[in-house]
């Protein structure tokens, strides 16, 4: 059995938060960076992530008690995901925060809600970001750090890019050669072109403070990594690599896995990540069995399901995606799934019907 080390939750999460933002990594205390007249944008993850925003946001706003609530906007970094419903938002941030603060669902498909922050050059499109984020005087990013199948690790600037970016820039970031690069993989920061582009684009607009956490499987906070975006993120990634990743002596013919439960396994699109993790340790021609609820389906929005139905085999998917000029929303997740299917057979135990999965 391969599993992360179990790291116990912090005995007093709120006090640990206060210490982390008052004695941050690589920069000054949070409260000293934000003035009472500043307009503040706080970026959080959407409902597909296990970020404990309902705990973090009240602690943050207590630390920023000198800033009136009407000057603070919470921006949900949806990337290309669907908007979160009012009920989902209340569950994510808590009823009190949902009532008192302005909350914006980022919409990568609506240019009218964004501002261009960098002109295009060559094949690189102009970079636009959520207007509420760009027009703020101060910007705070909240996220959590775990191994990521393309970026090496989540957290850091990933809250901004692709979180609050425009569709064209997200598509360029997810292009086939980037996703297929051998260093765009789990646990790799140095030389990872995906992480490099996240940092390049994420820093196009200044970020004033990072709040990143690590979690155990009980959703308890095990550590805070706060302060300068790069310094705090890299320290968190160092710890996560030691605790959440395990060496494997050899590949196995059969690997049984999950996508870590709710909210990470709510659809097949997100559950590809669990398959990709298993693919790291499965033998060529082996089998992966994954349990994932998939109560949100494939999902219905986006092109993921459409692309899966359009091709007769994994190799056909890869050939189409790598064809010159091919660009389609969600192609990156299809590409990662196809790479797994070329290597191994995958069996899925979920709420999807067998006919849907076939």
């Amino acid at each position: 059995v391969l599993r992360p080390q179990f790291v116990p939750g912090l005995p007093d999460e709120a006090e640990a938060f206060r210490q982390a933002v008052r004695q941050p990594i690589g920069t000054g205390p949070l409260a000293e960076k934000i003035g009472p007249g500043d307009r503040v944008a706080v970026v959080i993850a959407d409902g597909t992530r296990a970020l404990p925003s309902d705990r973090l946001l009240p602690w943050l706003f207590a630390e920023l008690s000198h800033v009136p609530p009407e000057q603070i906007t919470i921006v949900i970094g949806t990337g290309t995901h669907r908007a979160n419903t009012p009920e989902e938002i209340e569950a994510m941030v808590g009823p009190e925060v949902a009532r008192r603060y302005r909350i914006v669902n980022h919409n990568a498909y609506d240019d009218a809600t964004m501002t261009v922050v960098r002109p295009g050059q060559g094949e690189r499109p102009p970079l636009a970001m959520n207007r509420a984020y760009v027009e703020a005087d101060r910007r705070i990013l909240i996220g959590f750090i775990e191994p990521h199948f393309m970026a090496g690790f989540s957290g850091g600037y990933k809250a901004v890019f692709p979180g609050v970016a425009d569709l064209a820039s997200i598509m360029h970031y997810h292009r086939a050669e980037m996703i297929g690069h051998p260093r765009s993989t789990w646990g790799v920061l140095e030389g990872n072109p995906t992480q490099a582009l996240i940092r390049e684009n994420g820093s196009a607009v200044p970020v004033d403070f990072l709040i990143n956490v690590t979690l155990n499987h009980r959703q308890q906070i095990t550590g805070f990594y706060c302060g300068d975006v790069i310094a705090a993120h890299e320290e968190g990634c160092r710890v996560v690599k030691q605790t959440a990743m395990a060496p494997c002596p050899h590949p196995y013919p059969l690997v049984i896995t999950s996508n870590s439960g709710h909210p990470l396994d709510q659809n097949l699109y997100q559950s590809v990540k669990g398959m990709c993790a298993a693919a790291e340790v499965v033998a060529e021609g082996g089998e992966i069995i994954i349990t994932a609820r998939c109560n949100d389906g494939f999902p219905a929005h986006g092109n993921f399901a459409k692309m899966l139905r359009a091709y007769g085999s994994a190799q056909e998917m890869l050939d189409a995606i790598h064809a010159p000029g091919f660009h389609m929303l969600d192609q990156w997740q299809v590409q990662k799934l196809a790479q797994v299917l070329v290597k191994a057979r995958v069996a899925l135990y979920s709420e999807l019907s067998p006919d849907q999965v076939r």
Side-chain angles (χ1 to χ4, degrees):
V1 177
L2 299 175
R3 59 164 60 95
Q5 294 179 30
F6 178 75
V7 180
L10 296 168
D12 188 336
E13 293 181 344
E15 177 58 28
F17 173 86
R18 288 188 286 270
Q19 291 181 15
V21 299
R22 294 173 186 179
Q23 301 175 46
I25 300 168
T27 191
L30 171 62
E32 295 179 7
K33 291 179 168 291
I34 313 294
D38 286 336
R39 296 169 300 167
V40 182
V42 179
V43 181
I44 64 171
D46 71 0
T48 65
R49 304 295 187 264
L51 182 67
S53 299
D54 57 336
R55 283 129 69 192
L56 294 169
L57 289 172
W59 301 335
L60 171 63
F61 297 146
E63 195 69 14
L64 299 180
S65 59
H66 58 289
V67 182
E70 58 268 21
Q71 291 173 209
I72 297 175
T73 299
I74 300 168
V75 182
I76 302 175
T78 57
T80 60
H81 303 166
R82 66 167 175 82
N84 292 268
T85 66
E87 295 77 18
E88 289 170 335
I89 291 172
E90 183 171 308
M92 288 160 52
V93 305
E96 180 69 11
V97 169
R99 182 182 62 82
R100 295 190 65 195
Y101 292 86
R102 179 189 179 212
I103 301 176
V104 174
N105 267 308
H106 174 62
N107 185 351
Y109 307 92
D110 185 0
D111 292 341
T113 65
M114 285 179 278
T115 299
V116 174
V117 298
R118 190 187 64 209
Q121 183 177 9
E123 295 183 357
R124 186 182 71 183
L127 174 62
M129 291 185 176
N130 184 278
R131 181 172 290 115
Y133 175 79
V134 174
E135 292 182 351
D137 301 308
R138 295 288 180 261
R139 302 171 194 88
I140 299 169
L141 311 183
I142 303 182
F144 78 102
I145 303 173
E146 64 177 352
H148 189 273
F149 69 148
M150 293 184 288
F153 294 91
S154 62
Y157 278 116
K158 202 169 183 297
V160 181
F161 190 84
V164 300
D166 67 286
L167 179 60
S169 296
I170 294 173
M171 292 289 292
H172 182 257
Y173 153 72
H174 281 118
R175 62 194 185 274
E177 59 268 31
M178 181 78 77
I179 301 306
H181 193 284
R183 293 193 69 79
S184 289
T185 191
W186 305 94
V188 176
L189 290 180
E190 186 176 352
N192 183 330
T194 300
Q195 183 64 224
L197 189 58
I198 289 169
R199 292 181 172 186
E200 178 186 352
N201 288 353
S203 60
V205 177
V207 173
D208 296 279
F209 206 84
L210 177 75
I211 299 171
N212 273 180
V213 300
T214 49
L215 305 169
N216 61 27
H217 70 267
R218 297 174 182 168
Q219 304 306 309
Q220 298 168 329
I221 296 172
T222 59
F224 285 97
Y225 303 90
C226 303
D228 174 78
V229 181
I230 295 296
H233 184 235
E234 291 196 345
E235 175 60 18
C237 293
R238 183 188 65 79
V239 173
V240 168
K241 190 162 190 174
Q242 293 176 345
T243 58
M245 302 183 74
C248 180
H250 55 78
Y252 296 90
L254 174 64
V255 177
I256 302 172
T257 190
S258 73
N259 210 51
S260 298
H262 181 80
L264 303 176
D265 70 346
Q266 61 188 274
N267 56 51
L268 186 61
Y269 177 100
Q270 293 296 333
S271 299
V272 170
K273 296 172 184 177
M275 300 176 204
C276 289
E280 293 290 302
V281 297
V282 74
E284 291 283 346
E287 182 168 3
I288 296 167
I289 300 175
I290 181 167
T291 62
R293 187 180 176 192
C294 297
N295 55 297
D296 189 35
F298 279 81
H301 59 275
N303 292 321
F304 181 67
K306 176 183 175 181
M307 287 189 68
L308 293 184
R309 297 184 182 113
Y311 302 101
S313 69
Q315 191 58 55
E316 286 184 21
M317 296 178 200
L318 292 175
D319 291 343
I321 290 167
H322 284 281
F326 184 92
H327 299 288
M328 182 176 285
L329 176 68
D330 295 331
Q331 70 180 59
W332 49 89
Q333 210 78 345
V334 174
Q335 181 179 351
K336 297 298 285 190
L337 174 58
Q339 289 172 344
V340 174
L341 293 174
V342 165
K343 183 178 184 181
R345 182 175 180 269
V346 177
L348 172 69
Y349 182 74
S350 74
E351 292 184 7
L352 293 168
S353 71
D355 288 341
Q356 286 177 295
V357 176
R358 292 193 191 101

